[in-house]
Amino acid sequence: MKIGSNYLGNGQCEFRVWAPFRDSVAVHIVSPQDQLIPLQQDAWGYWQQTVKADPGTLYVYQLDGSLERPDPASHYQPEGVHGSSQVVDHQFDWTDNSWQGIPLKDLIIYELHVGTFTPEGTFESIIPRLSYLQNLGITAIEIMPVAQFPGSRNWGYDGVYVYGVQESYGGPAGLKKLVDACHQAGIAVILDVVYNHLGPEGNYLWAYGPYFTDQYRTPWGNAVNFDGAYSNQVRNFFIQNTLYWLDKYHIDALRVDAVHAIYDMSAQPFLQELGDAVANFNRTTPVQRYVIAESDLNDVRVIKPREDGGFGHDAQWCDDFHHILHTLLTGELSGYYEDFGKIEQLAVALREGYIYSGQYSSFRKRNHGNSAADRPAEQFVVCIQNHDQIGNRLIGDRLSTLVDFQGLKVAAATVLLSPYIPMLFMGEEYGEDAPFQYFVSHSDPDLIEGVRTGRAEEFKAFGWDNAPDPQGTKVFEQSKLQWDKIDQEKHSVLRRWYKRLIQLRKETPALATLDRQNLNVSSLSPEKIIVIHRTAGDSQVLGLINFANDGVTVSPQIPPGNFSKVIDSADKEWMGEGSHLPQPLQAGQSLTIAPLSFALYCQ
């Protein structure tokens, strides 16, 4: 059942809101002409009425004759989280009728934050940069949450209107223009949505009904009520939101934030219902839409088909892949990184996705995960950087400030030539060294102080002190991309390296085919060498990665075939120290691999 204000055309708008315990609900039209119109209640606690209201009409709901609150399913909050809601006409001159979408296996994702990707920090200011992403080889952008949040700067995870589009980014029209332009450029759009909590400021859901439960606690307070009394209507609120983004905004995929914080003990979990809803939507449209989950559970149920007892999500982020790469390159072993750091673990990640598939985790002090070895490789999204893994560091320092130039090239190659869906974080491709820090713009002094204290507590596990002030404008301004660096020497070479790796991934069948059945990965310890052999028909590739800070001479098993070197990060072309690897490979020969380097041979 659709909720919110749904403009029907011809000056008619349908208002519907769930408030099961209220004795009366009316829509109070604030502008252009003050009116109070009673709504009628149905058996399920929904209040509704079709009334005369044009697009642009401002309104609130009046509860029990006195309490006035914005629409919890507001499509637009032009006056901010505490202001009136606005009726939106979703008619738009779309030009993407020929858009066929991007197959899951062909996604090369670029995660970005609207407010810091460009100096202007708007949807429309991204459009001129799409040609840059096209040239790089990107096939999808992933936009961090755009649900209306307090103030003008926020990561987006403090959103309180899950249907609303952030006013300071450009609102509904701005987002549609961006999606339409992306499709014209051959780029899919993934939207990050948050269903595990709402932000603390401007959250008025409590006034309407039992959207939350004290049965479970999340890091952000009471959990969303997905399995208690009245949870059918709570689920409907979020399921309709998913369909709303796919239908009204032509979004190609949703990245569902932290599904491990969606607490649900029901026999038919909400996450399974969500997967089913998207599958049903896909039966009505020629463009396939996807659900990509963020989960730290290492639970294969998230991506298993619903008929096999899974949730039926199309893919998930793979934290283990990030963590092992990060520890091998940086040597950091504090916090959750203590479970990683061994070269053999990277070989497992490349073969199976999860490293922890039931083994004991020292960090968690218990066994962790189950096996995903039988799932298709295209169901895993891997990266070396993302908003969490950068922004949740003390000063938001990127990998470019933690490892040297050679290490950055190795990181890129490991991700982009893996059998999984690669994801870059904005600026990574040219070695952006500006931090990406956590920032908010709340208005409540007590809340601001609470956020400061909470951040400081989080950093204790890593032994970090003196956290920056997330409320200050400085951390926001410091987090903006420095586009003037992309043509500077090292930055330009790194960007060219990324572009070449993406090109090889697309054009080489053994790399373009995400098939772990024709994948062989071996590791050499203590040398810290990874050898990857992938095949697809007559196409074969052999990748050699050295994670050590010294050159290493090894004699790896070389499969039959005529292998020629196509790229080597140690070559002078890539600002390397010079390679000692031969151009053609011969069985049984010893190979000297340069420190922190990657080389790819193809047949």
Side-chain angles (χ1 to χ4, degrees), residues 28 31 38 64 71 158 178 243 366 380 594:
H28 180 188
S31 172
D64 291 346
D71 186 346
D158 290 313
L178 173 59
L243 301 178
R366 59 170 173 80
F380 294 93

Side-chain angles (χ1 to χ4, degrees), residues 520 522 531-535 540-544 556-564 585-589 591 601 603:
N520 185 275
S522 59
V531 181
I532 306 174
H533 179 223
R534 295 177 63 185
T535 64
Q540 290 193 72
V541 297
L542 188 71
L544 305 170
Q557 178 101 24
I558 297 175
N562 298 314
F563 288 93
S564 297
L585 279 183
Q586 297 178 2
Q589 71 185 131
L591 303 175
Y601 286 81
Q603 175 185 278

Side-chain angles (χ1 to χ4, degrees), residues 155 387-394 438 455 458-459 464:
W155 273 18
H387 72 271
D388 270 331
Q389 303 301 341
I390 302 172
N392 284 329
R393 297 176 64 83
L394 179 64
Y438 179 73
R455 294 289 289 176
E458 287 180 24
F459 291 138
W464 298 335

